[in-house]
Amino acid sequence: MPDISEYVFLDKNKLDFFVSKLNTRQRVVAPVRKGVKSYAFAEVPSAKDISWKYIPTILPPKKYFMPQYETIQKFDKSKRTWETVVSSEPIVILGVHTCDLAGIEFLNAMMSSAPCDAHYRNRKANITLIGIECLDYCDGSASCAVMKNELPHGGYDLFMTEMKQGFISHVGSDRGRNIASDSRIFTPAKPEHIRELEELRARKKDIFKPEINVSHEELKNLFSQSFESNMWREEMEKRCVSCGNCTNVCPTCYCFDLRDELDLSLTTGERQRVWDSCQNETFAKVASGENFRKKKGLRQRHRYMRKFYYPVEKHGLYGCTGCGRCTRTCMAKISLKETINKLAEEQQNSKEPVLNQ
Ligand code: SF4
Ligand code: SF4
């Protein structure tokens, strides 16, 4: 039974007031419709602008933690100065799905392991996260249940679940407690709210079923044994067009390039950090011209290994949240779930099955 003292209740008719109050102190961003079927996190002046039911946004909320282009240093040769730029602003990200909360938790772990990334840490310190629970599958590309991300696991300040009359909200931090302490907006949760939440979660068990033929526990072994699979040298080599979309939209990809931009006098300039993709042919090219992953199929193998094997070995964490963005965006219609099922089938047909080892 959840601890009722950790929950507050937000009546639906106070939603507008809630968003306007948040907006008085900082920028508020939330999912909004973009085109016919797509959504994006963008600034929302009022609650009416928010799409509470949405399929994962084109880009995940990681864009607020590590923007695609970021100036991290400025230099002036004439003054012999080299200044580190650490910028951040208070932002509330409202309506974050559980898969994206898991993506942020993964990035937090990567960016805080030595050497800690000061740029990421400073932005994170100013970001308030308010999650929203998915009560249904967003679409067939998602695999949050197999990645065990259909339920919240923390990493938020407040987490809202929509019910008949309003939103029951779990307080996840002191910052969340501070927001929830406004008695004009929130009231203490009642036992009937907790009962309704438990009924909703029980119903979710029938809706969110593992979407692939491999369990969460088996995934790491599957990938460790699939390193030499023909999947990479044949199917991925033929199909992938190396557009890099799958990595750009992924909530857990954090590779970047550093670029020094000089002014025309060659005196002042800045160092920029720009998202990079392991799917670009030049990504693994080194000074001598050697390229460690020249083949597209091997670059795809690297992408999958970075989700399902390497981070599990090193940090005990899967690098896939099951958001489904890579499948939705792939120009070659490569599906993450299909790839995993095919690898599992290949293993099962091999002489020495390795699943469950
Ligand atoms: S690998 Fe695909 S499904 Fe997994 S987190 Fe990245 S974009 Fe989402
Ligand atoms: S989105 Fe598809 S085609 Fe583009 S690099 Fe990724 S797997 Fe290849």
Side-chain angles (χ1 to χ4, degrees), residues 246 250-251 303 307 319-326 336:
C246 51
C250 180
R303 174 170 88 88
K307 303 298 162 196
C320 177
T321 68
C323 71
R325 284 185 177 91
C326 53
L336 181 123

mmCIF file of all heavy atoms in Angstrom, residues 246 250-251 303 307 319-326 336, ligand 1:
data_model
loop_
_atom_site.group_PDB
_atom_site.id
_atom_site.type_symbol
_atom_site.label_atom_id
_atom_site.label_comp_id
_atom_site.label_asym_id
_atom_site.label_seq_id
_atom_site.Cartn_x
_atom_site.Cartn_y
_atom_site.Cartn_z
ATOM 1 N N CYS A 246 18.460 7.554 -35.774
ATOM 2 C CA CYS A 246 18.199 6.699 -34.607
ATOM 3 C C CYS A 246 18.953 7.175 -33.377
ATOM 4 O O CYS A 246 18.455 7.073 -32.248
ATOM 5 C CB CYS A 246 18.540 5.243 -34.922
ATOM 6 S SG CYS A 246 20.182 5.033 -35.627
ATOM 7 N N CYS A 250 17.534 9.417 -29.784
ATOM 8 C CA CYS A 250 17.587 8.483 -28.643
ATOM 9 C C CYS A 250 17.821 9.240 -27.328
ATOM 10 O O CYS A 250 18.744 10.049 -27.237
ATOM 11 C CB CYS A 250 18.703 7.460 -28.872
ATOM 12 S SG CYS A 250 18.806 6.281 -27.508
ATOM 13 N N PRO A 251 17.008 8.962 -26.312
ATOM 14 C CA PRO A 251 17.165 9.688 -25.043
ATOM 15 C C PRO A 251 18.432 9.338 -24.276
ATOM 16 O O PRO A 251 18.782 10.027 -23.313
ATOM 17 C CB PRO A 251 15.924 9.270 -24.238
ATOM 18 C CG PRO A 251 15.496 7.976 -24.832
ATOM 19 C CD PRO A 251 15.877 8.028 -26.282
ATOM 20 N N ARG A 303 25.863 0.495 -32.097
ATOM 21 C CA ARG A 303 24.705 1.177 -31.493
ATOM 22 C C ARG A 303 23.939 0.230 -30.570
ATOM 23 O O ARG A 303 23.624 0.571 -29.435
ATOM 24 C CB ARG A 303 23.768 1.708 -32.598
ATOM 25 C CG ARG A 303 22.468 2.289 -32.060
ATOM 26 C CD ARG A 303 21.695 3.008 -33.141
ATOM 27 N NE ARG A 303 20.801 2.168 -33.896
ATOM 28 C CZ ARG A 303 19.525 1.908 -33.556
ATOM 29 N NH1 ARG A 303 19.025 2.416 -32.442
ATOM 30 N NH2 ARG A 303 18.764 1.162 -34.332
ATOM 31 N N LYS A 307 23.479 -0.083 -26.209
ATOM 32 C CA LYS A 307 22.182 -0.067 -25.518
ATOM 33 C C LYS A 307 22.007 -1.296 -24.625
ATOM 34 O O LYS A 307 21.461 -1.207 -23.536
ATOM 35 C CB LYS A 307 21.019 -0.047 -26.535
ATOM 36 C CG LYS A 307 21.036 1.093 -27.530
ATOM 37 C CD LYS A 307 20.937 2.428 -26.842
ATOM 38 C CE LYS A 307 21.400 3.533 -27.762
ATOM 39 N NZ LYS A 307 21.675 4.776 -27.052
ATOM 40 N N GLY A 319 20.927 0.696 -21.733
ATOM 41 C CA GLY A 319 20.922 2.023 -22.363
ATOM 42 C C GLY A 319 19.726 2.216 -23.272
ATOM 43 O O GLY A 319 19.705 3.153 -24.055
ATOM 44 N N CYS A 320 18.746 1.327 -23.191
ATOM 45 C CA CYS A 320 17.512 1.499 -23.960
ATOM 46 C C CYS A 320 16.359 1.640 -22.981
ATOM 47 O O CYS A 320 16.249 0.872 -22.028
ATOM 48 C CB CYS A 320 17.277 0.293 -24.873
ATOM 49 S SG CYS A 320 15.721 0.417 -25.781
ATOM 50 N N THR A 321 15.511 2.630 -23.230
ATOM 51 C CA THR A 321 14.371 2.854 -22.336
ATOM 52 C C THR A 321 13.092 2.249 -22.905
ATOM 53 O O THR A 321 12.070 2.227 -22.228
ATOM 54 C CB THR A 321 14.137 4.363 -22.151
ATOM 55 O OG1 THR A 321 13.693 4.890 -23.412
ATOM 56 C CG2 THR A 321 15.396 5.091 -21.716
ATOM 57 N N GLY A 322 13.149 1.833 -24.172
ATOM 58 C CA GLY A 322 11.952 1.297 -24.818
ATOM 59 C C GLY A 322 11.039 2.365 -25.394
ATOM 60 O O GLY A 322 9.879 2.093 -25.711
ATOM 61 N N CYS A 323 11.564 3.582 -25.588
ATOM 62 C CA CYS A 323 10.704 4.679 -26.056
ATOM 63 C C CYS A 323 10.218 4.470 -27.491
ATOM 64 O O CYS A 323 9.199 5.021 -27.890
ATOM 65 C CB CYS A 323 11.429 6.015 -25.938
ATOM 66 S SG CYS A 323 12.776 6.237 -27.136
ATOM 67 N N GLY A 324 10.981 3.713 -28.284
ATOM 68 C CA GLY A 324 10.557 3.415 -29.660
ATOM 69 C C GLY A 324 10.918 4.481 -30.680
ATOM 70 O O GLY A 324 10.579 4.356 -31.863
ATOM 71 N N ARG A 325 11.612 5.547 -30.255
ATOM 72 C CA ARG A 325 11.901 6.648 -31.195
ATOM 73 C C ARG A 325 12.743 6.181 -32.383
ATOM 74 O O ARG A 325 12.517 6.605 -33.507
ATOM 75 C CB ARG A 325 12.629 7.785 -30.477
ATOM 76 C CG ARG A 325 11.721 8.633 -29.588
ATOM 77 C CD ARG A 325 12.519 9.804 -29.016
ATOM 78 N NE ARG A 325 11.697 10.695 -28.224
ATOM 79 C CZ ARG A 325 11.509 10.577 -26.919
ATOM 80 N NH1 ARG A 325 12.072 9.583 -26.240
ATOM 81 N NH2 ARG A 325 10.739 11.447 -26.273
ATOM 82 N N CYS A 326 13.749 5.315 -32.123
ATOM 83 C CA CYS A 326 14.636 4.904 -33.232
ATOM 84 C C CYS A 326 13.830 4.186 -34.306
ATOM 85 O O CYS A 326 14.067 4.385 -35.502
ATOM 86 C CB CYS A 326 15.778 4.030 -32.707
ATOM 87 S SG CYS A 326 15.243 2.628 -31.721
ATOM 88 N N LEU A 336 13.629 -1.877 -33.878
ATOM 89 C CA LEU A 336 14.415 -2.413 -32.750
ATOM 90 C C LEU A 336 13.841 -3.744 -32.271
ATOM 91 O O LEU A 336 14.568 -4.718 -32.054
ATOM 92 C CB LEU A 336 14.423 -1.382 -31.623
ATOM 93 C CG LEU A 336 15.217 -1.763 -30.385
ATOM 94 C CD1 LEU A 336 16.280 -0.713 -30.087
ATOM 95 C CD2 LEU A 336 14.317 -1.890 -29.173
HETATM 96 S S1 SF4 B 1 17.465 2.564 -28.597
HETATM 97 FE FE1 SF4 B 1 15.548 3.284 -29.544
HETATM 98 S S2 SF4 B 1 13.904 2.516 -28.154
HETATM 99 FE FE2 SF4 B 1 15.853 2.392 -27.050
HETATM 100 S S3 SF4 B 1 15.995 4.333 -25.904
HETATM 101 FE FE3 SF4 B 1 17.098 4.669 -27.859
HETATM 102 S S4 SF4 B 1 15.534 5.512 -29.261
HETATM 103 FE FE4 SF4 B 1 14.425 4.632 -27.490
#
